[in-house]
Structures are given as structure tokens and as C-alpha cells.
């Protein structure tokens, strides 16, 4: 389960990143749920679904797709509530507090807790294609993918801050150095995250500071 503080932090980070890309992002008409749909299909591929060949579930890649989907879902939610971060966080927290949530889709009622991970991924894909998103369904998928709410938060904040850091250090201009001291920035990010308390109120700032201290000057 995600806490109210975690939701507020992630929504604020997402809003700030979207503003960095386009200050008018709220009214730009970007297809955030279309993007979530595409990532959902990629998550299905990482899970494996082809009955005519041997396949193994690639759990780390599947988890990464879920983090990407969460970026787009948060963006769509902020738009739904006209940029009000506090209201968005309150609504999402209420949805997560539902007992035994059900999803209505195509005239049928689905209970995500009773479905397989693959079926839930397929259901999420269909919802996104219909311009809808179910937070309880998504969190059920997160749980089935062996991630806790805390781990989703940790990975989300890490990727968001790294994206910010890249932009601030010339990523768009092509001057950003992705390999530091013989390792890619993602490897440094993992070490920074492991060294910090993710419950700190300034967690995102601490992640950024940790990256800045390692980046070659």
C-alpha cells in the first residue's frame, strides 16, 4: 500500500517533470493512457504468453514496465483533477483503501484478486485502450509482480530523479555523460537509492544530491 506522503511526492515529481517537458502539459492533449497501454503490452511480452514456445517470465523487465506505466497513470490522474496535486493524492488514496475492489469493463465485473497476473495485465491494457485506468487493479498487478508499494515508490522516485538529473546536465543537448567512472548512471542510481532512507520527507532531493556528488564535474 502506498502512503499519502508517497502519493503526494510522486504526483509532485511527475507534475514537475511534465512541466519541464512542456509548461502547458495539462492542456496539451498528450495520450498518457495510450502510452500506458503500449507499456502494458510490453509488460505482457516480458511475462510471456506464447503457448507454442518455451518462455520464462522476465520479472525485472516486467517491474520496469510497471514503473513506466505508473508515470503515465499519474499524469492522467493529475489531468483528471485539473492539476490539483492534493486532490489527486486524496482520491488515489481512497481508491487504494477499497476492500476487494472490482473492475467494470465491457459490461462485465472483474475481481483482480482472483485473476492471474497475465489476465490482469490484459485487463489493464483493455482499460487503457478505453481511456480508463484502475489504480486498485494496477496495485494488484504490482503485488503479483513481487513488488511492494515501497519498492514501487523507490523505483519510481529513482527513475524520475535520474530523468531530471539527465535533463539538467545536458541530456537534450547531447552533452550529458551517461557513463561515470566506468559504470552507467543507472548503476550509480541503484547504489544511491540503497544508501538512503526512502521515508525521508526530502527523499527525492537526497537522491538528486547523491547523483550530483558522483557525477564527474
Amino acid at each position: 500500500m502506498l502512503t499519502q506522503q508517497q502519493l503526494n511526492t510522486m504526483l509532485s515529481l511527475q507534475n514537475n517533470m511534465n512541466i519541464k517537458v512542456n509548461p502547458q502539459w495539462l492542456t496539451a492533449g498528450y495520450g498518457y493512457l495510450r502510452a500506458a497501454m503500449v507499456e502494458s503490452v510490453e509488460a505482457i511480452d516480458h511475462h510471456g504468453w506464447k503457448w507454442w514456445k518455451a518462455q520464462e517470465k522476465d520479472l525485472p523487465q516486467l517491474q520496469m514496465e510497471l514503473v513506466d506505466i505508473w508515470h503515465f497513470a499519474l499524469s492522467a490522474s493529475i489531468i483528471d483533477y485539473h492539476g490539483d496535486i492534493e486532490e489527486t493524492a486524496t482520491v488515489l488514496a481512497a481508491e487504494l483503501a477499497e476492500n476487494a475492489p472490482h473492475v467494470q469493463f465491457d459490461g462485465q465485473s472483474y475481481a483482480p484478486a482472483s485473476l492471474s497476473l497475465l489476465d490482469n495485465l490484459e485487463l489493464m491494457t483493455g482499460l487503457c485502450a478505453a481511456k480508463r485506468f484502475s489504480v486498485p487493479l494496477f496495485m494488484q498487478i504490482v503485488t503479483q509482480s513481487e513488488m511492494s508499494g515501497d519498492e514501487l515508490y523507490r523505483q519510481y522516485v529513482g527513475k524520475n530523479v535520474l530523468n531530471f538529473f539527465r535533463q539538467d546536465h545536458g541530456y537534450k543537448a547531447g552533452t550529458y555523460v551517461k557513463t561515470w567512472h566506468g559504470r552507467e548512471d543507472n548503476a550509480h542510481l541503484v547504489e544511491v537509492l540503497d544508501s538512503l532512507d526512502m521515508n525521508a520527507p526530502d527523499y527525492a532531493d537526497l537522491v538528486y544530491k547523491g547523483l550530483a556528488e558522483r557525477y564527474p564535474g
Side-chain angles (χ1 to χ4, degrees), residues 154-211:
R154 194 176 82 97
Q155 289 196 34
Y156 171 86
V157 173
K159 184 157 188 180
N160 183 286
V161 173
L162 179 59
N163 287 339
F164 255 106
F165 187 84
R166 288 170 170 172
Q167 291 294 328
D168 288 344
H169 291 79
Y171 197 71
K172 189 173 183 179
T175 58
Y176 176 71
V177 179
K178 193 171 184 179
T179 301
W180 320 342
H181 313 299
R183 290 181 299 158
E184 287 197 359
D185 54 7
N186 283 303
H188 289 281
L189 174 64
V190 170
E191 292 184 359
V192 170
L193 294 178
D194 287 343
S195 71
L196 298 174
D197 176 9
M198 69 178 178
N199 294 314
D202 57 345
Y203 178 55
D205 293 335
L206 293 174
V207 174
Y208 192 101
K209 180 181 177 182
L211 292 173

Side-chain angles (χ1 to χ4, degrees), residues 111-159:
S114 67
L115 297 177
S116 69
L117 171 56
L118 185 57
D119 283 341
N120 277 328
L121 287 168
E122 189 174 69
L123 179 58
M124 179 170 64
T125 304
L127 282 172
C128 289
K131 310 301 182 189
R132 294 162 53 196
F133 193 85
S134 168
V135 175
L137 168 62
F138 176 78
M139 291 307 298
Q140 176 65 31
I141 291 170
V142 167
T143 299
Q144 290 176 310
S145 300
E146 301 180 26
M147 292 179 78
S148 64
D150 284 346
E151 183 60 21
L152 173 65
Y153 175 73
R154 194 176 82 97
Q155 289 196 34
Y156 171 86
V157 173
K159 184 157 188 180

